[in-house]
């Protein structure tokens, strides 16, 4: 197991992004295009972009 040193592993951003995509799909099927659907899709994009940024070598 890894140690907790204050650094967030990049894979958690990918997992969160996939979770937001699934929630967006469910929300869109239930209510259509609403504020909540737009919010969830925006969160999925933000988390996926964060994942990609963490993968870029410095």
């Amino acid at each position: 197991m890894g140690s907790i040193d204050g650094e967030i592993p990049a894979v958690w951003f990918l997992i969160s992004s996939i979770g937001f995509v699934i929630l967006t799909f469910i929300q869109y099927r239930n209510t259509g295009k609403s504020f909540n659907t737009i919010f969830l899709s925006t969160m999925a994009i933000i988390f996926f972009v964060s994942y990609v940024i963490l993968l870029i070598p410095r």
Side-chain angles (χ1 to χ4, degrees):
M1 282 183 68
S3 65
I4 299 176
D5 57 358
E7 186 175 325
I8 301 172
V11 72
W12 288 111
F13 285 98
L14 180 62
I15 292 170
S16 298
S17 175
I18 292 170
F20 279 124
V21 168
I22 292 169
L23 288 174
T24 301
F25 178 72
I26 293 169
Q27 178 72 18
Y28 183 76
R29 284 186 55 196
N30 288 339
T31 62
K33 187 177 180 183
S34 66
F35 176 76
N36 293 338
T37 308
I38 295 170
F39 176 76
L40 287 171
S41 60
T42 304
M43 291 299 292
I45 293 168
I46 289 171
F47 272 74
F48 185 73
V49 169
S50 299
Y51 170 73
V52 171
I53 289 172
L54 286 175
L55 288 182
I56 297 173
R58 295 181 187 157

Coordinates of all heavy atoms in Angstrom, one line a residue:
M1 N 0.8 -1.2 0.0 CA 0.0 0.0 0.0 C 0.9 1.2 0.0 O 1.9 1.3 0.6 CB -0.9 0.0 1.2 CG -2.1 -0.9 1.1 SD -3.2 -0.9 2.5 CE -3.9 0.8 2.4
G2 N 0.3 2.3 -0.6 CA 1.1 3.5 -0.7 C 0.9 4.3 0.6 O 0.0 4.1 1.4
S3 N 1.9 5.2 0.8 CA 1.8 6.1 2.0 C 1.0 7.3 1.6 O 0.9 7.7 0.5 CB 3.2 6.4 2.4 OG 3.8 7.2 1.4
I4 N 0.4 7.9 2.6 CA -0.3 9.2 2.4 C 0.7 10.3 2.7 O 1.1 10.6 3.8 CB -1.5 9.2 3.4 CG1 -2.5 8.1 3.1 CG2 -2.2 10.6 3.3 CD1 -3.6 8.0 4.1
D5 N 1.1 11.0 1.6 CA 2.0 12.1 1.8 C 1.5 13.4 1.3 O 2.2 14.3 1.0 CB 3.3 11.7 1.0 CG 3.1 11.4 -0.4 OD1 1.9 11.5 -0.9 OD2 4.1 11.2 -1.1
G6 N 0.2 13.5 1.2 CA -0.4 14.8 0.8 C -0.6 14.9 -0.7 O -1.1 15.9 -1.2
E7 N -0.2 13.9 -1.5 CA -0.3 14.0 -2.9 C -1.5 13.1 -3.4 O -1.6 12.0 -3.0 CB 1.0 13.5 -3.6 CG 1.0 13.7 -5.1 CD 2.3 13.3 -5.7 OE1 3.4 13.5 -5.0 OE2 2.3 12.7 -6.8
I8 N -2.3 13.7 -4.3 CA -3.5 13.0 -4.7 C -3.1 12.2 -6.0 O -2.6 12.8 -7.0 CB -4.6 13.9 -5.1 CG1 -5.0 14.7 -3.8 CG2 -5.8 13.2 -5.6 CD1 -6.0 15.8 -4.1
P9 N -3.2 10.9 -6.0 CA -2.9 10.1 -7.3 C -3.8 10.5 -8.4 O -5.0 10.8 -8.2 CB -3.2 8.7 -6.9 CG -3.2 8.6 -5.4 CD -3.7 10.0 -5.0
A10 N -3.3 10.6 -9.6 CA -4.0 11.0 -10.8 C -5.2 10.1 -11.1 O -6.2 10.6 -11.6 CB -3.1 11.1 -12.0
V11 N -5.1 8.9 -10.8 CA -6.2 7.9 -11.1 C -7.5 8.3 -10.4 O -8.6 8.0 -11.0 CB -5.8 6.5 -10.8 CG1 -5.7 6.2 -9.3 CG2 -6.7 5.5 -11.5
W12 N -7.4 9.0 -9.3 CA -8.7 9.4 -8.6 C -9.5 10.4 -9.4 O -10.7 10.4 -9.4 CB -8.4 9.9 -7.2 CG -8.0 8.8 -6.3 CD1 -6.8 8.6 -5.7 CD2 -8.8 7.7 -5.8 NE1 -6.8 7.4 -5.0 CE2 -8.0 6.9 -5.0 CE3 -10.1 7.3 -6.0 CZ2 -8.5 5.7 -4.4 CZ3 -10.6 6.2 -5.4 CH2 -9.8 5.4 -4.6
F13 N -8.7 11.2 -10.1 CA -9.4 12.2 -11.0 C -10.1 11.5 -12.2 O -11.2 11.9 -12.6 CB -8.4 13.3 -11.5 CG -8.0 14.3 -10.5 CD1 -6.9 14.2 -9.8 CD2 -8.9 15.4 -10.2 CE1 -6.5 15.1 -8.8 CE2 -8.6 16.3 -9.2 CZ -7.4 16.2 -8.5
L14 N -9.5 10.5 -12.7 CA -10.1 9.7 -13.8 C -11.3 9.0 -13.3 O -12.3 9.0 -14.0 CB -9.1 8.7 -14.4 CG -9.6 7.9 -15.5 CD1 -10.0 8.7 -16.7 CD2 -8.5 6.9 -15.9
I15 N -11.2 8.3 -12.1 CA -12.4 7.6 -11.6 C -13.5 8.6 -11.3 O -14.7 8.3 -11.6 CB -11.9 6.9 -10.3 CG1 -11.0 5.7 -10.7 CG2 -13.1 6.3 -9.6 CD1 -10.3 5.1 -9.5
S16 N -13.2 9.7 -10.7 CA -14.3 10.7 -10.5 C -14.9 11.2 -11.8 O -16.1 11.4 -11.8 CB -13.7 11.9 -9.7 OG -13.2 11.5 -8.5
S17 N -14.1 11.4 -12.8 CA -14.6 11.9 -14.1 C -15.5 10.9 -14.7 O -16.6 11.2 -15.2 CB -13.4 12.1 -15.0 OG -13.9 12.5 -16.3
I18 N -15.2 9.6 -14.6 CA -16.0 8.5 -15.1 C -17.3 8.5 -14.3 O -18.4 8.3 -14.9 CB -15.3 7.2 -15.1 CG1 -14.2 7.2 -16.1 CG2 -16.3 6.0 -15.4 CD1 -13.2 6.0 -16.0
G19 N -17.2 8.6 -13.0 CA -18.4 8.7 -12.2 C -19.4 9.8 -12.5 O -20.6 9.7 -12.6
F20 N -18.8 11.0 -12.8 CA -19.6 12.1 -13.2 C -20.3 11.9 -14.5 O -21.4 12.4 -14.8 CB -18.8 13.4 -13.2 CG -18.6 14.0 -11.8 CD1 -17.3 14.3 -11.4 CD2 -19.7 14.4 -11.1 CE1 -17.1 14.9 -10.1 CE2 -19.5 15.0 -9.8 CZ -18.2 15.2 -9.3
V21 N -19.6 11.3 -15.5 CA -20.2 11.0 -16.8 C -21.4 10.0 -16.6 O -22.4 10.2 -17.2 CB -19.1 10.3 -17.7 CG1 -19.8 9.8 -19.0 CG2 -18.1 11.4 -18.1
I22 N -21.2 9.0 -15.8 CA -22.3 8.1 -15.5 C -23.5 8.8 -14.9 O -24.7 8.6 -15.3 CB -21.9 6.9 -14.6 CG1 -20.9 6.0 -15.4 CG2 -23.0 6.1 -14.2 CD1 -20.1 5.0 -14.6
L23 N -23.2 9.7 -13.9 CA -24.3 10.4 -13.2 C -25.0 11.4 -14.2 O -26.2 11.6 -14.2 CB -23.7 11.2 -12.0 CG -23.4 10.4 -10.8 CD1 -22.7 11.3 -9.8 CD2 -24.6 9.7 -10.2
T24 N -24.2 12.0 -15.1 CA -24.7 12.9 -16.1 C -25.7 12.1 -17.0 O -26.8 12.6 -17.3 CB -23.6 13.5 -16.9 OG1 -22.7 14.3 -16.0 CG2 -24.2 14.5 -18.0
F25 N -25.3 10.9 -17.4 CA -26.1 10.1 -18.3 C -27.4 9.8 -17.6 O -28.5 9.9 -18.2 CB -25.4 8.9 -18.8 CG -26.2 8.0 -19.6 CD1 -26.5 8.3 -20.9 CD2 -26.7 6.8 -19.1 CE1 -27.2 7.5 -21.7 CE2 -27.4 5.9 -19.9 CZ -27.7 6.3 -21.2
I26 N -27.4 9.4 -16.4 CA -28.6 9.0 -15.6 C -29.5 10.2 -15.5 O -30.7 10.2 -15.7 CB -28.2 8.4 -14.3 CG1 -27.5 7.0 -14.5 CG2 -29.5 8.2 -13.4 CD1 -26.9 6.5 -13.2
Q27 N -28.9 11.4 -15.1 CA -29.6 12.6 -14.9 C -30.3 13.1 -16.2 O -31.4 13.5 -16.2 CB -28.7 13.7 -14.3 CG -29.4 15.0 -14.1 CD -30.3 15.0 -12.9 OE1 -30.3 14.2 -12.1 NE2 -31.2 16.0 -12.9
Y28 N -29.6 13.0 -17.3 CA -30.1 13.4 -18.6 C -31.3 12.5 -19.0 O -32.3 13.0 -19.5 CB -29.0 13.4 -19.6 CG -29.5 13.9 -21.0 CD1 -29.7 15.2 -21.2 CD2 -29.8 13.0 -22.0 CE1 -30.1 15.7 -22.4 CE2 -30.2 13.5 -23.2 CZ -30.4 14.8 -23.4 OH -30.8 15.3 -24.6
R29 N -31.2 11.2 -18.7 CA -32.3 10.3 -19.1 C -33.5 10.6 -18.2 O -34.7 10.4 -18.7 CB -31.9 8.9 -18.9 CG -31.0 8.4 -20.1 CD -30.7 6.9 -20.0 NE -32.0 6.2 -19.9 CZ -32.1 4.9 -19.5 NH1 -31.0 4.3 -19.2 NH2 -33.2 4.3 -19.5
N30 N -33.4 11.0 -17.0 CA -34.5 11.2 -16.1 C -35.1 12.6 -16.3 O -36.4 12.6 -16.3 CB -34.1 11.1 -14.6 CG -33.8 9.6 -14.2 OD1 -34.2 8.7 -14.9 ND2 -33.0 9.5 -13.2
T31 N -34.4 13.6 -16.4 CA -34.9 15.0 -16.5 C -34.7 15.7 -17.8 O -35.2 16.8 -17.9 CB -34.4 15.8 -15.3 OG1 -33.0 16.0 -15.4 CG2 -34.8 15.2 -14.0
G32 N -33.8 15.2 -18.6 CA -33.5 16.0 -19.8 C -32.4 17.0 -19.5 O -31.7 16.9 -18.5
K33 N -32.3 18.0 -20.4 CA -31.3 19.0 -20.2 C -31.8 20.0 -19.1 O -32.8 20.7 -19.3 CB -31.1 19.8 -21.5 CG -30.0 20.8 -21.5 CD -29.8 21.4 -22.8 CE -28.7 22.4 -22.8 NZ -28.6 23.1 -24.1
S34 N -31.1 20.0 -18.0 CA -31.5 20.8 -16.8 C -30.2 21.4 -16.3 O -29.1 21.1 -16.7 CB -32.2 20.0 -15.7 OG -31.3 19.1 -15.2
F35 N -30.3 22.2 -15.3 CA -29.1 22.8 -14.6 C -28.2 21.8 -14.0 O -27.0 21.8 -14.1 CB -29.6 23.8 -13.6 CG -28.4 24.4 -12.8 CD1 -27.6 25.4 -13.4 CD2 -28.1 24.0 -11.5 CE1 -26.6 25.9 -12.7 CE2 -27.1 24.5 -10.8 CZ -26.3 25.5 -11.4
N36 N -28.9 20.8 -13.4 CA -28.1 19.7 -12.8 C -27.3 18.9 -13.8 O -26.2 18.5 -13.5 CB -29.0 18.8 -12.0 CG -29.6 19.4 -10.8 OD1 -29.1 20.4 -10.3 ND2 -30.7 18.9 -10.3
T37 N -27.9 18.7 -15.0 CA -27.2 17.9 -16.0 C -26.0 18.7 -16.5 O -24.9 18.1 -16.7 CB -28.2 17.6 -17.2 OG1 -29.3 17.0 -16.7 CG2 -27.5 16.7 -18.2
I38 N -26.2 20.0 -16.7 CA -25.1 20.8 -17.2 C -24.0 20.9 -16.1 O -22.8 20.8 -16.4 CB -25.6 22.2 -17.5 CG1 -26.5 22.2 -18.7 CG2 -24.5 23.2 -17.8 CD1 -27.3 23.4 -19.0
F39 N -24.4 21.0 -14.8 CA -23.4 21.0 -13.8 C -22.6 19.7 -13.7 O -21.3 19.8 -13.6 CB -24.1 21.3 -12.4 CG -23.2 21.2 -11.2 CD1 -22.3 22.3 -11.0 CD2 -23.1 20.1 -10.4 CE1 -21.5 22.3 -9.9 CE2 -22.3 20.1 -9.3 CZ -21.4 21.1 -9.1
L40 N -23.2 18.6 -13.8 CA -22.5 17.3 -13.7 C -21.6 17.1 -14.9 O -20.5 16.6 -14.8 CB -23.5 16.2 -13.7 CG -24.3 16.0 -12.3 CD1 -25.4 15.0 -12.5 CD2 -23.3 15.6 -11.3
S41 N -22.0 17.5 -16.1 CA -21.2 17.4 -17.3 C -20.0 18.3 -17.2 O -18.8 18.0 -17.6 CB -21.9 17.7 -18.6 OG -22.5 19.0 -18.6
T42 N -20.2 19.5 -16.6 CA -19.0 20.4 -16.4 C -18.0 19.9 -15.4 O -16.8 20.0 -15.6 CB -19.6 21.8 -15.9 OG1 -20.5 22.3 -16.8 CG2 -18.4 22.8 -15.7
M43 N -18.5 19.3 -14.4 CA -17.6 18.6 -13.4 C -16.9 17.5 -14.0 O -15.7 17.3 -13.7 CB -18.5 18.1 -12.2 CG -19.0 19.2 -11.3 SD -17.8 20.3 -10.6 CE -17.0 19.2 -9.5
A44 N -17.5 16.7 -14.9 CA -16.8 15.6 -15.5 C -15.7 16.2 -16.4 O -14.6 15.6 -16.4 CB -17.8 14.8 -16.4
I45 N -15.9 17.2 -17.1 CA -14.9 17.8 -17.9 C -13.7 18.4 -17.1 O -12.6 18.2 -17.4 CB -15.5 18.9 -18.8 CG1 -16.5 18.3 -19.9 CG2 -14.4 19.8 -19.5 CD1 -17.3 19.3 -20.6
I46 N -14.1 19.1 -16.0 CA -13.0 19.6 -15.1 C -12.2 18.5 -14.6 O -10.9 18.6 -14.5 CB -13.7 20.5 -14.0 CG1 -14.2 21.8 -14.6 CG2 -12.7 20.8 -12.9 CD1 -15.1 22.6 -13.6
F47 N -12.8 17.5 -14.1 CA -12.0 16.4 -13.5 C -11.1 15.7 -14.5 O -10.0 15.2 -14.3 CB -12.9 15.4 -12.7 CG -13.1 15.8 -11.3 CD1 -14.0 16.8 -11.0 CD2 -12.5 15.1 -10.3 CE1 -14.2 17.2 -9.7 CE2 -12.8 15.5 -9.0 CZ -13.6 16.5 -8.7
F48 N -11.7 15.5 -15.8 CA -10.9 14.9 -16.8 C -9.7 15.7 -17.2 O -8.6 15.2 -17.4 CB -11.7 14.5 -18.0 CG -11.0 13.7 -19.1 CD1 -10.7 12.4 -18.9 CD2 -10.6 14.4 -20.2 CE1 -10.0 11.7 -19.8 CE2 -9.9 13.6 -21.2 CZ -9.6 12.3 -21.0
V49 N -9.9 17.0 -17.3 CA -8.8 17.9 -17.7 C -7.8 17.9 -16.6 O -6.6 18.0 -16.8 CB -9.4 19.4 -17.9 CG1 -8.3 20.4 -18.0 CG2 -10.2 19.4 -19.2
S50 N -8.2 17.9 -15.3 CA -7.3 17.8 -14.2 C -6.4 16.5 -14.3 O -5.2 16.5 -14.0 CB -8.0 17.8 -12.9 OG -8.7 19.0 -12.7
Y51 N -7.1 15.4 -14.7 CA -6.4 14.1 -14.8 C -5.3 14.3 -15.9 O -4.1 13.9 -15.7 CB -7.3 13.0 -15.2 CG -6.7 11.7 -15.6 CD1 -6.1 10.9 -14.7 CD2 -6.7 11.3 -16.9 CE1 -5.5 9.7 -15.1 CE2 -6.2 10.2 -17.3 CZ -5.5 9.4 -16.4 OH -4.9 8.2 -16.8
V52 N -5.6 14.9 -17.0 CA -4.7 15.0 -18.1 C -3.5 15.9 -17.7 O -2.4 15.7 -18.0 CB -5.4 15.6 -19.4 CG1 -4.4 16.0 -20.5 CG2 -6.4 14.5 -19.9
I53 N -3.8 17.0 -17.0 CA -2.8 17.9 -16.5 C -1.8 17.2 -15.6 O -0.6 17.4 -15.7 CB -3.4 19.2 -15.9 CG1 -4.1 20.1 -16.9 CG2 -2.4 20.0 -15.0 CD1 -4.9 21.2 -16.3
L54 N -2.3 16.4 -14.7 CA -1.4 15.6 -13.8 C -0.6 14.6 -14.6 O 0.5 14.2 -14.1 CB -2.2 14.9 -12.8 CG -2.8 15.8 -11.7 CD1 -3.7 15.0 -10.7 CD2 -1.7 16.5 -10.9
L55 N -1.0 14.2 -15.7 CA -0.2 13.2 -16.5 C 0.9 13.8 -17.3 O 1.9 13.2 -17.7 CB -1.1 12.4 -17.5 CG -2.0 11.4 -16.8 CD1 -2.8 10.7 -17.9 CD2 -1.3 10.4 -15.9
I56 N 0.8 15.1 -17.6 CA 1.9 15.8 -18.3 C 3.1 15.9 -17.5 O 3.1 16.4 -16.4 CB 1.4 17.3 -18.7 CG1 0.2 17.2 -19.6 CG2 2.5 18.0 -19.4 CD1 -0.5 18.5 -19.9
P57 N 4.2 15.4 -18.1 CA 5.5 15.4 -17.3 C 6.0 16.9 -17.2 O 5.9 17.7 -18.1 CB 6.4 14.6 -18.1 CG 5.9 14.5 -19.5 CD 4.4 14.7 -19.3
R58 N 6.6 17.1 -16.1 CA 7.2 18.5 -15.8 C 8.6 18.5 -16.1 O 9.4 17.7 -15.9 CB 6.8 18.9 -14.4 CG 5.4 19.1 -14.3 CD 5.0 19.5 -12.9 NE 3.5 19.4 -12.9 CZ 2.9 19.3 -11.8 NH1 3.4 19.3 -10.6 NH2 1.6 19.3 -11.8

